Amino acid sequence: MKSCESLFLTALESFHQGKQQEPVLSAAASGLGFDLLLDSEISSRLPIEEQLRARFAAGIRSRGLLAARSGRLIEAQQALKETKRIRQSNGLSAEAKLMIETFDEAVGAYVEYRQSDYSQARSRVYRAMAIDGELITNYGYDILDLHRVQLGHNLMRIDAHCGNMVEAAEMCASLLAYLEGDVEHWPLAEFLIQTNPSRLPPELLKAMFIQIVGELALMLGGRKGDEACRMFAAILPHVENRATANCRQFLRVHRWLEAKWAYINGEVIPFLEHIIELLRDGPGEMLLLWRVAAVDLRSLCYEVGSNRGARALREIDHECQAWSHVPPQLRRRLSFAEAV
Amino acid sequence: MKLSRYHAVSPSFLDERTGVFRRVVFPTRTAEARIVDEVVWLVLEAGEFDQLPREILLELAGLELLVPDDEDELTTLLQRNDAAAMDDDNLYLVIQPTAWCQLGCGYCGQEHTPKLMSEDDQLLVVERARKKLSAKPYKTLELSWFGAEPLAGLKVMRSLTPELLKLAEEFGVAYLGKVVTNGLTLSAQVATQLVRELCINSIEVTIDGTAKYHDARRYTKAGESTFERIYLNVIDLARRSDVNVNLTIRCNVDRRNYEGVSPLIKMLADAGIQDRISFYVAPIHSWGNDAHQESLSNEEFATWEIRWFAEMIELGFKPALLPKRRPIVCFAVSPNAELVDANGDLFNCTEVSYVPKYGRPNIYSIGSLKTGETPGKRAKLGDFNQRIARGEYQCHTCKMLPVCGGRCPKLWQEGIVPCPTPKFNIENRLLLKYAESRLS
């Protein structure tokens, strides 16, 4: 077995090798893959006039979402008022109305979330899920199953924001199992429908899997010990490869989960062993998870406090300062340690 | 679906790469330009959408160039503008620290007096800002120092800024500082102080052409010329790498000095500062006087402006060719923004204080620091969007409204049509934009 010192050194070298590699923003991760598939299904089902109205509404909605993300909530509400007017206009089929409404409800939920009305946010997510169910069951829009998972991710975020970390982690575990093809794990019994995510393109499932584990990573932050163990308990079957029959389908993400579990338990050597390969392979399609692994290593360096640890700390620190688009939760971890 | 009324389109041109005639189309609702084939445009104009490929139609619907048949576009647009004004999370305050200006420009409508804002009024300014910041969550506190000549009131700027910075810190909002100056006293030392101590991150200086043109109209009250000093100050500041500030040069133009613009552009380029400044030309307008009588006609100005743009591009400037969405026409429609002059009077317009023609008390005043805001007064200019909705101004039928916002509520009210130049040269701007994109 390698010594802790030598593993530190190897992990640091892996970090240096991995950071040279550009992250990959796949069409699936950008949402483009989903949009194209949905568009393809819509084009074969709705008349062109309805497709145009739906696209017109989508443009307004996406500008509304951008406004909401910047905190301009009245503008966002105005956008949703406009899309509501479109879907209530004469001549639209029930199918087209539902198609516009499900995405409106999802954005509406986000606006409520930004206004700290979490109960209303939840209701609107549920409403969107119900509409998705109808569109899948009655009209054959299988691709919307992925939208349902996205909505589940939104519920997870709401739970986390309300401090319900264990519930959020349970939601996370169920969604991951569902994405691995285990339909029984769908977390919301009232929105259970006859569908199978394995029919969806694997690259989209993988992108969603990475996105959800990314949310878990932000929830966990730098937590360790009992609190983190409680939060992580629901995820353990994934770490132990017993959650579903396809548990190691997304191998790299599983490696990250294993590393995180070791980190939470303060098992330095297993943690280092897990992240060496992860860091060396570069961010790839999981930029956020790669960065969190690097920040975990950085935290460990700080705790260890050896000369070697201090050097690694300085080198990772230098790199982290150049990162752009860092979520505030991760940025806080970086600035906290700086202050220390 | 129908073609949105809010669009502009370039003349047809031959794309030499493809040998196809094309146009640049600009839906002003979203202000995003696209190049389309001439045949596509003709079909769109004819409303025969079913002859176009689905992908093109979908993209144009997403850009809001195609809108539902029953869409009331004006209502939608004005509702969006109102929402943007209500959402505005920038507390915008304009302060005129003094009523004095060293210059005696012929077109200025202000009456200057050697009055500095009093210490009592400064305290009241801070108190009003505090009340506003307490009333709703803002992200930024933006201070614009305006004149008369604000640098003639540097003493007031020095004493007020630390208090305003403290407020920004207390409320956790970012602080932005801007000064609009004639540049006469913008020495290296003053510029350093503005940026480093008074947290100014944007400076706008007015130069009305080269010396021959500028000095004929922008002399001191004693009749001395000012170009050389202002120009040297600006060049010096633009070349400095030790202060970080956005520097803009505005050239005010009418019939008497428009020929001085091109030589000025050349001078600035020769000085090698084209990538360190923004430069734009603005037509002289009425400042409560008849200054606009000497202005170029809209069409004349628009033609000249295209020529200036082309010269600028050739010399390495990056002019803003296409207008952006302008949901908030100016701070007149922002419910909390205001201007405070050196007398402690409050306004929601920068063009009315110190202007004798507007009487005493000034008809545009919305109150004073001592008495507070007078209920209802703000609406004189602030209800501009409602006036457009009622059809009181031509804006309600104008395709440029989304990117212009109506330009100037005050001038409309005075019976002067203030339409901005893009309305008169947008077609050529689009062509120029296309040409620029081919150059890069």
Side-chain angles (χ1 to χ4, degrees):
Chain A
M1 184 191 274
K2 285 189 172 180
S3 72
C4 189
E5 283 279 288
S6 113
L7 282 172
F8 255 117
L9 194 63
T10 314
L12 188 60
E13 279 166 11
S14 295
F15 172 75
H16 284 304
Q17 281 177 35
K19 77 176 187 192
Q20 310 295 336
Q21 297 177 39
E22 289 292 317
V24 177
L25 181 63
S26 64
S30 70
L32 188 62
F34 174 84
D35 290 345
L36 286 174
L37 281 171
L38 180 62
D39 184 55
S40 160
E41 290 197 21
I42 286 175
S43 70
S44 64
R45 294 195 51 90
L46 297 179
I48 185 69
E49 176 68 20
E50 293 198 333
Q51 292 178 44
L52 291 177
R53 283 183 181 231
R55 180 59 65 90
F56 180 70
I60 293 168
R61 185 191 310 115
S62 87
R63 283 182 274 280
L65 180 59
L66 279 179
R69 284 184 178 147
S70 312
R72 303 192 317 271
L73 300 179
I74 301 172
E75 281 183 71
Q77 284 163 336
Q78 165 64 23
L80 291 174
K81 228 185 280 176
E82 290 175 30
T83 54
K84 184 176 180 184
R85 211 161 48 218
I86 295 163
R87 67 173 196 261
Q88 288 180 338
S89 59
N90 294 329
L92 268 192
S93 65
E95 181 180 339
K97 285 179 181 175
L98 289 172
M99 183 58 72
I100 297 173
E101 191 177 2
T102 184
F103 293 104
D104 283 356
E105 286 302 301
V107 172
Y110 180 68
V111 174
E112 304 289 356
Y113 171 83
R114 289 295 300 252
Q115 289 174 319
S116 303
D117 190 341
Y118 302 115
S119 151
Q120 193 60 23
R122 247 185 258 274
S123 301
R124 297 190 78 164
V125 169
Y126 293 151
R127 167 82 187 133
M129 269 193 187
I131 296 171
D132 281 347
E134 204 175 334
L135 284 164
I136 294 168
T137 308
N138 299 339
Y139 300 98
Y141 286 98
D142 288 352
I143 185 68
L144 287 177
D145 206 13
L146 215 53
H147 189 236
R148 294 198 319 145
V149 178
Q150 174 69 58
L151 292 166
H153 175 189
N154 295 349
L155 288 175
M156 182 182 156
R157 189 178 289 171
I158 294 169
D159 266 334
H161 199 82
C162 295
N164 305 326
M165 296 298 186
V166 172
E167 288 83 348
E170 284 168 357
M171 172 68 78
C172 174
S174 299
L175 292 174
L176 295 183
Y178 185 75
L179 287 169
E180 285 171 345
D182 191 339
V183 182
E184 298 303 311
H185 270 90
W186 176 251
L188 298 150
E190 61 273 42
F191 299 108
L192 187 65
I193 54 169
Q194 289 306 311
T195 180
N196 191 341
S198 60
R199 286 182 300 186
L200 296 172
E203 66 275 13
L204 293 187
L205 294 173
K206 182 180 175 189
M208 186 60 81
F209 199 92
I210 292 170
Q211 183 190 315
I212 289 172
V213 176
E215 188 69 41
L216 175 74
L218 295 177
M219 271 168 53
L220 287 166
R223 287 183 178 88
K224 283 179 160 187
D226 291 348
E227 186 196 5
C229 285
R230 269 197 305 279
M231 284 171 64
F232 209 83
I235 311 292
L236 262 185
H238 286 279
V239 176
E240 294 163 356
N241 299 323
R242 58 182 170 84
T244 67
N246 295 321
C247 209
R248 292 182 71 82
Q249 189 180 348
F250 307 114
L251 194 59
R252 236 184 136 216
V253 191
H254 269 88
R255 190 166 295 134
W256 184 92
L257 287 170
E258 286 160 10
K260 192 68 184 178
W261 179 235
Y263 175 84
I264 285 171
N265 285 297
E267 296 165 352
V268 176
I269 289 179
F271 168 73
L272 291 170
E273 284 172 343
H274 283 304
I275 64 160
I276 282 170
E277 195 180 334
L278 196 78
L279 289 176
R280 191 189 56 221
D281 291 346
E285 292 169 289
M286 36 187 266
L287 176 64
L288 175 62
L289 295 178
W290 188 86
R291 285 177 169 179
V292 170
V295 172
D296 285 346
L297 173 64
R298 173 185 180 275
S299 302
L300 208 58
C301 293
Y302 175 76
E303 286 169 24
V304 169
S306 69
N307 286 342
R308 190 153 284 153
R311 196 189 109 208
L313 183 62
R314 273 197 307 277
E315 291 182 23
I316 299 174
D317 255 347
H318 180 71
E319 189 62 28
C320 296
Q321 299 315 316
W323 289 347
S324 57
H325 305 297
V326 178
Q329 298 99 317
L330 190 58
R331 181 66 71 197
R332 274 198 293 275
R333 278 188 76 187
L334 292 167
S335 49
F336 170 72
E338 276 160 25
V340 170
Chain B
M1 300 291 276
K2 62 183 179 187
L3 192 61
S4 165
R5 62 193 264 200
Y6 292 116
H7 72 265
V9 64
S10 74
S12 173
F13 61 88
L14 178 65
D15 182 343
E16 288 172 355
R17 288 174 303 182
T18 58
V20 172
F21 279 94
R22 311 185 85 179
R23 289 178 188 254
V24 184
V25 61
F26 185 61
T28 54
R29 283 174 65 136
T30 51
E32 288 183 52
R34 287 290 186 282
I35 298 166
V36 296
D37 289 352
E38 171 73 354
V39 286
V40 170
W41 177 249
L42 292 176
V43 170
L44 279 172
E45 259 194 325
E48 295 164 350
F49 303 143
D50 54 350
Q51 292 183 30
L52 289 175
R54 173 179 175 272
E55 288 68 28
I56 290 181
L57 291 173
L58 286 176
E59 186 179 5
L60 299 181
L63 287 172
E64 301 186 26
L65 181 63
L66 296 181
V67 300
D69 294 313
D70 54 0
E71 164 91 342
D72 176 351
E73 291 197 83
L74 177 64
T75 302
T76 298
L77 182 69
L78 293 175
Q79 283 173 349
R80 287 183 185 180
N81 290 356
D82 286 340
M86 282 190 281
D87 251 346
D88 194 5
D89 52 17
N90 175 36
L91 177 55
Y92 184 66
L93 300 178
V94 186
I95 298 179
Q96 295 181 305
T98 177
W100 182 245
C101 177
Q102 316 92 324
L103 303 195
C105 310
Y107 55 79
C108 179
Q110 292 182 337
E111 182 179 71
H112 299 135
T113 56
K115 158 94 181 161
L116 282 174
M117 183 180 277
S118 70
E119 285 178 12
D120 285 350
D121 280 351
Q122 289 178 48
L123 288 174
L124 291 171
V125 165
V126 176
E127 268 324 291
R128 277 186 72 78
R130 174 185 295 283
K131 260 191 201 158
K132 285 173 189 282
L133 287 167
S134 309
K136 70 173 252 195
Y138 287 97
K139 282 188 182 158
T140 47
L141 169 60
E142 183 178 357
L143 249 292
S144 179
W145 301 96
F146 197 71
E149 169 50 37
L151 297 187
L154 194 55
K155 185 180 160 199
V156 175
M157 292 174 69
R158 279 196 203 109
S159 62
L160 254 178
T161 300
E163 300 307 313
L164 294 166
L165 285 170
K166 265 189 238 165
L167 262 191
E169 194 179 345
E170 184 183 332
F171 285 89
V173 299
Y175 182 90
L176 299 171
K178 177 182 180 179
V179 61
V180 181
T181 169
N182 61 35
L184 198 60
T185 60
L186 187 64
S187 64
Q189 191 190 355
V190 168
T192 303
Q193 186 179 36
L194 287 177
V195 176
R196 294 201 186 140
E197 292 170 37
L198 305 184
C199 295
I200 296 294
N201 36 36
S202 174
I203 297 177
E204 181 164 318
V205 182
T206 40
I207 303 180
D208 288 6
T210 47
K212 175 182 161 190
Y213 298 94
H214 177 97
D215 285 338
R217 55 209 263 122
R218 307 206 64 195
Y219 32 76
T220 66
K221 286 191 167 60
E224 296 157 335
S225 58
T226 60
F227 177 83
E228 193 177 348
R229 217 162 117 197
I230 296 171
Y231 183 76
L232 289 176
N233 284 343
V234 164
I235 299 296
D236 179 50
L237 178 56
R239 285 178 175 159
R240 286 177 66 177
S241 55
D242 63 325
V243 288
N244 185 17
V245 67
N246 296 317
L247 180 58
T248 299
I249 296 174
R250 167 162 45 98
C251 185
N252 293 324
V253 157
D254 62 15
R255 203 166 285 289
R256 294 167 299 180
N257 74 327
Y258 71 95
E259 288 168 305
V261 177
S262 292
L264 178 62
I265 291 171
K266 177 86 173 36
M267 260 183 103
L268 295 169
D270 287 346
I273 60 167
Q274 53 272 65
D275 57 348
R276 310 200 66 154
I277 59 166
S278 302
F279 177 86
Y280 73 102
V281 186
I284 300 278
H285 56 78
S286 166
W287 206 326
N289 55 15
D290 56 4
H292 59 297
Q293 305 289 354
E294 285 290 333
S295 289
L296 296 168
S297 71
N298 289 324
E299 291 75 15
E300 284 172 319
F301 186 95
T303 304
W304 277 103
E305 191 181 40
I306 293 296
R307 184 180 293 192
W308 295 324
F309 280 148
E311 288 170 0
M312 287 169 71
I313 292 169
E314 205 170 325
L315 291 169
F317 289 84
K318 289 190 175 60
L321 295 176
L322 299 188
K324 294 184 176 150
R325 262 290 277 138
R326 194 182 176 94
I328 301 175
V329 58
C330 67
F331 77 94
V333 299
S334 292
N336 296 303
E338 65 190 21
L339 175 146
V340 189
D341 75 6
N343 302 312
D345 289 325
L346 304 173
F347 299 90
N348 58 346
C349 174
T350 55
E351 310 296 294
V352 290
S353 53
Y354 311 141
V355 177
K357 191 191 165 189
Y358 297 137
R360 286 199 177 84
N362 189 308
I363 54 169
Y364 285 104
S365 169
I366 59 170
S368 74
L369 285 171
K370 291 191 176 63
T371 59
E373 204 174 307
T374 311
K377 286 278 195 178
R378 187 178 277 271
K380 183 174 172 67
L381 298 175
D383 67 353
F384 184 60
N385 284 338
Q386 292 88 309
R387 286 170 183 265
I388 293 176
R390 290 197 295 266
E392 290 180 26
Y393 308 129
Q394 297 162 25
C395 308
H396 81 288
T397 57
C398 179
K399 65 183 181 188
M400 300 300 282
L401 180 60
V403 289
C404 140
R407 183 64 169 183
C408 179
K410 188 206 78 160
L411 287 178
W412 279 114
Q413 215 164 86
E414 293 175 354
I416 297 168
V417 176
C419 297
T421 56
K423 177 168 177 174
F424 305 97
N425 62 13
I426 186 65
E427 291 81 7
N428 284 327
R429 283 175 180 243
L430 292 169
L431 280 182
L432 206 50
K433 186 73 188 168
Y434 173 76
E436 188 192 41
S437 72
R438 292 290 308 275
L439 288 173
S440 58

